[in-house]
Amino acid sequence: MAKEQQEKTASSREGDKVSNGQGARSGGQRGRGNGSRKNNTTFKRVNLERKRPQLSRGEGADGSQQAGERRRSRRGSKASKDPNATLRIIPLGGLDAIGKNMTAFECGNDMILDDAGLMFPDDDHPGVDLILPDYTYVLENADKLRGIIITHGHEDHTGTLPYLLKDLDRTVNIYATKLTLGLIEGKFAEHKIKNARLIEIKSGEEIRLGCFKVDFFAVNHSIPGAVGLFIQSPAGNVLHTGDFKLDQTPIDGVTTDFAAITRFSEQGVDLMMSDSTGAMNPNFTPSEAEVGKTLEQIISQAPGRVIIASFASHIHRMQQICDAAVKNGRKVVVTGRSMIQNTDIARRLGYLKISDDNLIDAYDLKGIPSDQVVIMCTGSQGEPLSALGRIANGEHKTIEIEEGDTVIISATPVPGNEKAVTRVINSLAKIGADVYDKSRGKVHVSGHAGAEELKIMLTLVKPKAFMPVHGEATHLRAHAKLAEATGVDADNIYILENGDSLELSAAGIERGEGVPSGIVYVDGLSVGDTSQDVLDERNTLGNQGFASVAAAVDMKNKRVVGDPQVSMHGITGGDDYYLADEAASTVAGALRKCLGKDGGVKELRKAARDGLLSLLWERTKQRPMVVVNILEV
């Protein structure tokens, strides 16, 4: 995953066409959209237990050949146009954060889905494991869904697939390149999904999905097998770049296909959707090959072991680490569950080249001189349970950091993870490790195009209208300004929010009706049951503490029976009996006052809570969570 982070209907505004709609609701309930439609439908989670995923040859979701028809893309191949047709472009994720990428394209009775990604939580989401886009609209229109297209194998483009497939009541074709399918298949195995229909595509191919024609063109990114899409429909044409950069010295030799992009431009691009992640970088993004030079230099000079943490899906980076290790006579150790799994998949499919002789198991490290080892691991984002996090804390089963070891953080911290990464670096430094991050050398470069590359892409495509995607609000607006600078009319630049829609027809492009949108929390085994209220309570518990009140009340005689019991946890002075006594007295007074006004149980609970909160604020400047139990006697 080369990046990550967070999440509507609106009236059109002149100039930059910015949406004035409500923000996405972050409750974990699907169906709580902010579009104009109400959604009270619930969906049964189904078990997909049939056979192991297979790479299919082109059958459609209905078993026919036509839905999966493919051919090599030909110059001038055009979909027939219908003056009465309307294409709806509906972003369900990816427009409020770097992550959760998911877009639906709907025309008549046909719909295709572009990507199905997730996002990882930050400090504002205690207890949450993953964050998914709300795909309620896809489930509501599952009968229209002709296929799911995945542009590349990063988690922010694939991670929602297992959850979506478990909720769909039908089998839908999933189209992606070979490595992407390999990573998806590994993900499905973890979730015990056995009947998915995976269909391999290649850049330069064209497939038909209902009334859509989709051409795939190669783009360079930080993972092999990335593609962009040229989508033709009866209503018009859309070019979606996917995640890309214009690296002219790529590790695998695959560059962005300028010839195909030019050809699509000649056919006419009514709307261009383009990756905005690097729009704030005013320059060109450096080549991935530059990182390899730095890594080789560090490894050649390191006196002891070298431990390198990177994203487990960054196959190009892993290849360069392996090459540098072998060149310097070192063996490579792979640790971290996702790193081991992805290494195995990439080697099996031919995307990662290193011989068995140069790989050793972490359990076989004992006895090997430290200056003959390079360890590839997860943990570049400071995750406490990752391999590097456990190594730094002395909790790894087989690897123990030693003074003189070299540690390389070969990634940029995702916004929100900076503190976690700093903690890990400090822990390593205390032990005596020599730590490299991007501040000490070019140990990481982005996989996303900078502003100059984005302008080149816009100039090549020459779109009639433009919609920036894949980024936070600042990235989208920066990309919109680049589009205007390259000649796109400001009135034809659309900055949307998740759940908004654009409608493309012979009459042009205009904003359409919104759909339910938002985010879904994965919390342990729970999917979609954790709401924002629950997260607010968790944050309150963690930051302010917890107090419970138990009181017996004689409602008939309007008196408090005995002394209320007040228990405080995580509250400054909560273990001091003076504060406990004062709290009990304050609650009793509040209850007596409320009883004198003929208050019921509901009013008694509120009076006790308000009284205790007022006291605690006055004494401690804390507002903890307070739970009041009233026993009627």
Side-chain angles (χ1 to χ4, degrees):
M1 61 179 219
K3 49 227 162 348
E4 287 89 82
Q5 308 285 325
Q6 325 277 317
E7 317 253 49
K8 354 212 224 140
T9 306
S11 59
S12 178
R13 215 202 292 178
E14 290 299 317
D16 61 359
K17 304 273 185 180
V18 178
S19 167
N20 292 325
Q22 295 177 334
R25 290 187 178 144
S26 53
Q29 302 174 11
R30 297 169 213 203
R32 266 198 197 172
N34 44 8
S36 56
R37 308 175 35 160
K38 287 187 178 179
N39 174 42
N40 297 316
T41 310
T42 58
F43 296 92
K44 181 180 178 182
R45 189 171 294 282
V46 294
N47 235 346
L48 300 180
E49 293 275 359
R50 293 177 204 163
K51 60 182 180 180
R52 190 171 180 273
Q54 299 292 324
L55 297 188
S56 303
R57 275 294 172 200
E59 283 190 323
D62 58 358
S64 70
Q65 290 292 326
Q66 188 221 1
E69 182 184 335
R70 67 175 71 203
R71 63 184 174 188
R72 297 297 295 178
S73 181
R74 295 201 307 264
R75 183 182 295 273
S77 173
K78 296 182 180 180
S80 58
K81 294 296 176 66
D82 180 352
N84 298 315
T86 299
L87 170 64
R88 296 185 75 204
I89 299 99
I90 309 166
L92 298 172
L95 299 189
D96 58 347
I98 299 172
K100 302 188 282 72
N101 299 295
M102 179 184 283
T103 305
F105 295 86
E106 184 179 15
C107 187
N109 291 319
D110 298 315
M111 182 170 71
I112 57 177
L113 194 64
D114 170 34
D115 287 330
L118 55 71
M119 190 172 69
F120 293 96
D122 56 27
D123 292 342
D124 293 330
H125 306 99
V128 172
D129 299 310
L130 304 169
I131 301 174
L132 316 179
D134 185 347
Y135 47 78
T136 299
Y137 187 76
V138 178
L139 300 180
E140 289 178 334
N141 294 275
D143 59 317
K144 295 183 177 182
L145 189 58
R146 303 294 173 243
I148 301 172
I149 299 170
I150 305 298
T151 58
H152 64 279
H154 284 142
E155 291 271 11
D156 58 325
H157 293 257
T158 66
T160 291
L161 274 175
Y163 303 96
L164 175 60
L165 260 62
K166 289 176 183 178
D167 280 345
L168 281 170
D169 59 0
R170 58 197 296 270
T171 302
V172 178
N173 288 355
I174 299 171
Y175 298 88
T177 55
K178 183 167 67 171
L179 176 61
T180 303
L181 290 181
L183 298 173
I184 291 171
E185 189 174 9
K187 192 178 301 295
F188 285 174
E190 291 180 21
H191 286 261
K192 296 182 171 58
I193 295 174
K194 300 180 180 180
N195 70 330
R197 186 178 288 124
L198 307 178
I199 300 179
E200 182 182 343
I201 56 91
K202 297 177 181 178
S203 61
E205 283 188 343
E206 178 186 274
I207 62 172
R208 291 175 179 268
L209 298 172
C211 68
F212 293 98
K213 286 184 180 181
V214 183
D215 290 89
F216 302 95
F217 60 94
V219 294
N220 180 263
H221 189 38
S222 54
I223 187 172
V227 293
L229 312 177
F230 181 56
I231 302 170
Q232 299 180 71
S233 76
N237 303 333
V238 178
L239 187 142
H240 193 308
T241 65
D243 286 359
F244 78 99
K245 64 189 286 189
L246 302 182
D247 190 341
Q248 298 308 295
T249 56
I251 302 306
D252 59 358
V254 178
T255 57
T256 298
D257 191 344
F258 296 113
I261 294 167
T262 302
R263 186 168 69 252
F264 301 141
S265 175
E266 291 171 354
Q267 289 181 230
V269 176
D270 298 297
L271 175 69
M272 175 181 174
M273 302 167 66
S274 185
D275 173 21
S276 304
T277 307
M280 302 293 288
N281 171 16
N283 305 307
F284 287 86
T285 300
S287 170
E288 176 65 26
E290 296 300 311
V291 177
K293 297 175 185 177
T294 304
L295 294 177
E296 200 280 325
Q297 182 181 14
I298 295 172
I299 290 172
S300 67
Q301 298 174 356
R305 289 178 302 181
V306 178
I307 302 170
I308 306 178
S310 70
F311 289 118
S313 59
H314 203 326
I315 308 301
H316 292 323
R317 186 69 45 80
M318 292 157 65
Q319 182 67 68
Q320 294 197 97
I321 293 169
C322 292
D323 290 345
V326 172
K327 184 177 179 180
N328 286 278
R330 293 175 181 253
K331 303 294 185 182
V332 175
V333 175
V334 182
T335 183
R337 183 185 59 82
S338 59
M339 185 70 77
I340 292 171
Q341 176 176 289
N342 289 1
T343 299
D344 178 63
I345 292 170
R347 291 187 72 215
R348 179 162 42 85
L349 297 177
Y351 289 94
L352 180 61
K353 297 176 175 61
I354 182 172
S355 67
D356 292 340
D357 293 340
N358 289 314
L359 280 173
I360 60 174
D361 192 279
Y363 287 95
D364 298 329
L365 267 175
K366 195 171 183 181
I368 298 179
S370 60
D371 61 353
Q372 295 180 16
V373 175
V374 169
I375 298 169
M376 241 175 8
C377 67
T378 55
S380 62
Q381 298 302 305
E383 308 95 314
L385 299 181
S386 67
L388 184 62
R390 287 181 283 122
I391 291 171
N393 294 326
E395 298 171 353
H396 197 280
K397 289 182 180 179
T398 58
I399 300 171
E400 185 176 342
I401 201 80
E402 298 174 359
E403 186 171 356
D405 285 348
T406 299
V407 179
I408 302 173
I409 311 291
S410 188
T412 296
V414 171
N417 290 348
E418 294 90 350
K419 288 183 179 179
V421 173
T422 300
R423 278 196 297 269
V424 170
I425 290 175
N426 283 329
S427 297
L428 294 167
K430 284 180 181 179
I431 300 170
D434 189 13
V435 184
Y436 285 82
D437 61 8
K438 65 175 184 176
S439 66
R440 287 190 63 187
K442 193 168 285 184
V443 296
H444 175 71
V445 296
S446 175
H448 300 270
E452 293 302 314
E453 295 157 277
L454 296 176
K455 287 193 286 188
I456 290 174
M457 182 65 79
L458 282 157
T459 303
L460 284 172
V461 175
K462 299 182 181 65
K464 297 176 184 176
F466 177 70
M467 173 183 165
V469 294
H470 300 184
E472 298 173 348
T474 52
H475 302 107
L476 302 182
R477 289 182 176 275
H479 202 174
K481 289 180 179 179
L482 296 176
E484 189 173 354
T486 58
V488 182
D489 192 318
D491 290 339
N492 292 329
I493 298 174
Y494 296 86
I495 300 178
L496 271 63
E497 295 187 44
N498 298 325
D500 290 349
S501 73
L502 284 182
E503 294 186 352
L504 171 62
S505 66
I509 297 181
E510 61 182 8
R511 291 178 180 271
E513 182 181 4
V515 305
S517 68
I519 56 180
V520 175
Y521 298 115
V522 178
D523 188 347
L525 296 177
S526 165
V527 180
D529 296 324
T530 303
S531 68
Q532 187 61 44
D533 290 340
V534 171
L535 293 184
D536 290 343
E537 289 180 354
R538 290 178 182 174
N539 280 313
T540 300
L541 284 169
N543 296 327
Q544 302 292 331
F546 172 80
S548 65
V549 175
V553 176
D554 182 348
M555 300 293 289
K556 183 177 181 180
N557 297 310
K558 301 186 184 305
R559 67 187 184 90
V560 179
V561 180
D563 294 326
Q565 299 296 310
V566 179
S567 177
M568 291 177 279
H569 304 276
I571 298 172
T572 304
D575 54 352
D576 190 324
Y577 72 91
Y578 290 110
L579 181 60
D581 288 347
E582 188 175 8
S585 176
T586 297
V587 169
L591 291 173
R592 282 192 288 268
K593 186 175 181 180
C594 184
L595 286 168
K597 297 180 179 178
D598 295 326
V601 173
K602 182 178 179 180
E603 288 75 20
L604 289 171
R605 288 198 187 99
K606 185 177 185 304
R609 181 181 298 107
D610 291 348
L612 181 57
L613 284 173
S614 295
L615 173 69
L616 292 177
W617 178 254
E618 182 180 337
R619 297 287 185 269
T620 68
K621 290 298 183 285
Q622 288 179 262
R623 294 189 184 278
M625 180 183 294
V626 176
V627 176
V628 180
N629 293 304
I630 301 295
L631 176 63
E632 296 182 61
V633 296

